[in-house]
Amino acid sequence: MEQRKPTVSVGVPAYNEAANIGYLLSDLLSQKQDSFILKEILVLSDGSTDRTEDIVRSFGDGRIRILADQKREGKIKRLNELFDIFSGDILVQFDADVRLREASVIEEMVKPFLADAQTALVCGNHTPSEPKGFIERAAVFGVQVWDDALDMLGERDGRYRCTGQIRAFSRKFLEQFSFPLDIGSGEDTYSFYYAKVNNFKVVFARNALVYHRLPTTLKDYTRQMSRFIYAKDQMGQYFTKEQCAKYETMTATIRIKALLKNVFTSSPLTVIGFLILHIAPRVAVLTYEHKRVWDVAKTSKNLGQ
């Protein structure tokens, strides 16, 4: 007997994403559906004040729904709302400021659920778009160093592969899972830890690739990275030291090896720029004020075509 295709809900929390939301929705509607049925695309507008909601409504596709109110509550509140209302067998969640350049992205996210019914959380892959300026080139260099470091970790890279830009959840997992409202930008790490600590299966879908733009100013880069640095230490509020230590596997030695691998194939100016970008957020985080609704890095929003 032929296996029933699972239904997929796509969820997109969005705040003032007029520059990219139309491109993302077009990408989603162009996805192949060989192994699943795209049931709905839910866009949760978090008090957007630009044309985000108008652009979503302009598509006129019955599968696309916009859920909007006038209050900005933050991504975490919107994700928890999404977990309560989606109707598919699988929920695939995207950030609103990404692009899907391949028509097989959702297929790749669904594959692990079909291969093993115990799969609860699938983490997709992400890569920066072509850089347009000095800050962005230095930031992309940093991403290459980080990716090489993760490859050196091998099978111990799981915690770092789970990012909020692209994830998929089983319905069974979401029947018991929600985010603490104060988790902030650590939500991706939290979802990974929660799954592993509660013995759910987590899979990294390397071929499910989305593109995103890195910040183009030092201010935006520092603002964004300060949140990520803070989020790592924040996990100690929710999990034991032993649980965190089990999955915090990155070492200084590996990072230095990855840096040296890339230093000699890049321009000295780019390397110097990266070092500045590496240091600035670590200074800024000393005075970082954690917010449930965080400040947006505006220059990372417009991917265009």
Side-chain angles (χ1 to χ4, degrees):
M1 181 180 297
E2 185 177 354
Q3 185 179 11
R4 180 183 73 87
K5 290 183 180 181
T7 57
V8 169
S9 297
V10 170
V12 184
Y15 170 68
N16 285 356
E17 298 286 358
N20 193 66
I21 192 68
Y23 295 121
L24 173 59
L25 291 176
S26 294
D27 293 344
L28 292 172
L29 293 174
S30 299
Q31 291 288 293
K32 294 189 301 183
Q33 298 181 49
D34 294 338
S35 63
F36 69 93
I37 299 170
L38 179 60
K39 187 174 186 180
E40 59 187 356
I41 300 173
L42 306 173
V43 180
L44 289 83
S45 176
D46 187 39
S48 296
T49 57
D50 65 356
R51 296 188 60 252
T52 295
E53 295 168 17
D54 292 337
I55 293 171
V56 174
R57 293 188 180 101
S58 73
F59 273 76
D61 188 302
R63 293 169 296 178
I64 299 177
R65 293 170 53 199
I66 177 77
L67 294 93
D69 59 38
Q70 302 306 309
K71 296 175 64 178
R72 189 175 180 214
E73 300 282 1
K75 180 181 179 181
I76 306 309
K77 176 77 175 297
R78 301 309 177 190
L79 285 174
N80 284 342
E81 291 175 353
L82 177 61
F83 297 162
D84 287 337
I85 63 174
F86 83 99
S87 60
D89 299 313
I90 298 166
L91 172 64
V92 183
Q93 174 254 312
F94 295 94
D95 277 356
D97 54 357
V98 301
R99 293 292 310 273
L100 287 60
R101 300 286 171 80
E102 300 293 337
S104 57
V105 174
I106 298 180
E107 288 273 3
E108 293 294 336
M109 293 296 285
V110 168
K111 278 182 182 179
F113 295 102
L114 300 178
D116 187 344
Q118 300 305 310
T119 300
L121 171 62
V122 175
C123 304
N125 202 356
H126 61 97
T127 191
S129 293
E130 189 70 24
K132 294 184 177 180
F134 172 69
I135 295 295
E136 212 174 346
R137 284 196 298 272
V140 168
F141 173 86
V143 170
Q144 183 59 56
V145 171
W146 180 248
D147 285 345
D148 286 344
L150 294 184
D151 288 341
M152 291 177 188
L153 278 178
E155 295 183 357
R156 297 179 297 150
D157 65 349
R159 167 260 189 267
Y160 308 101
R161 297 293 191 183
C162 191
T163 69
Q165 292 159 318
I166 171 173
R167 282 171 299 186
F169 306 88
S170 70
R171 173 165 290 281
K172 181 179 179 180
F173 177 69
L174 291 181
E175 285 173 354
Q176 72 173 65
F177 176 80
S178 65
F179 288 111
L181 288 179
D182 63 346
I183 193 63
S185 59
E187 47 91 12
D188 45 8
T189 304
Y190 180 88
S191 64
F192 173 84
Y193 275 127
Y194 183 94
K196 298 297 285 188
V197 168
N198 288 280
N199 298 313
F200 286 100
K201 183 173 182 179
V202 181
V203 177
F204 172 50
R206 184 180 292 272
N207 293 328
L209 184 64
V210 298
Y211 292 77
H212 62 102
R213 180 158 301 287
L214 293 174
T216 61
T217 66
L218 180 60
K219 181 179 179 181
D220 269 0
Y221 184 88
T222 301
R223 175 185 289 136
Q224 189 178 84
M225 289 303 298
S226 295
R227 298 199 312 258
F228 298 153
I229 294 169
Y230 176 86
K232 174 185 173 182
D233 295 332
Q234 192 184 12
M235 290 305 107
Q237 299 176 25
Y238 307 101
F239 305 100
T240 67
K241 288 183 178 179
E242 292 75 18
Q243 289 167 342
C244 292
K246 184 176 181 180
Y247 300 108
E248 291 292 341
T249 53
M250 183 59 68
T251 66
T253 299
I254 289 177
R255 297 188 73 162
I256 291 171
K257 286 181 179 179
L259 176 61
L260 293 175
K261 176 183 176 182
N262 289 275
V263 161
F264 301 109
T265 58
S266 303
S267 74
L269 191 59
T270 298
V271 176
I272 292 171
F274 160 72
L275 293 176
I276 293 172
L277 293 185
H278 185 71
I279 294 170
R282 285 157 179 79
V283 174
V285 78
L286 298 176
T287 57
Y288 177 76
E289 181 182 353
H290 176 62
K291 299 177 182 179
R292 181 169 63 87
V293 180
W294 60 77
D295 295 329
V296 173
K298 295 181 180 180
T299 59
S300 66
K301 295 301 179 184
N302 189 0
L303 277 78
Q305 298 188 33

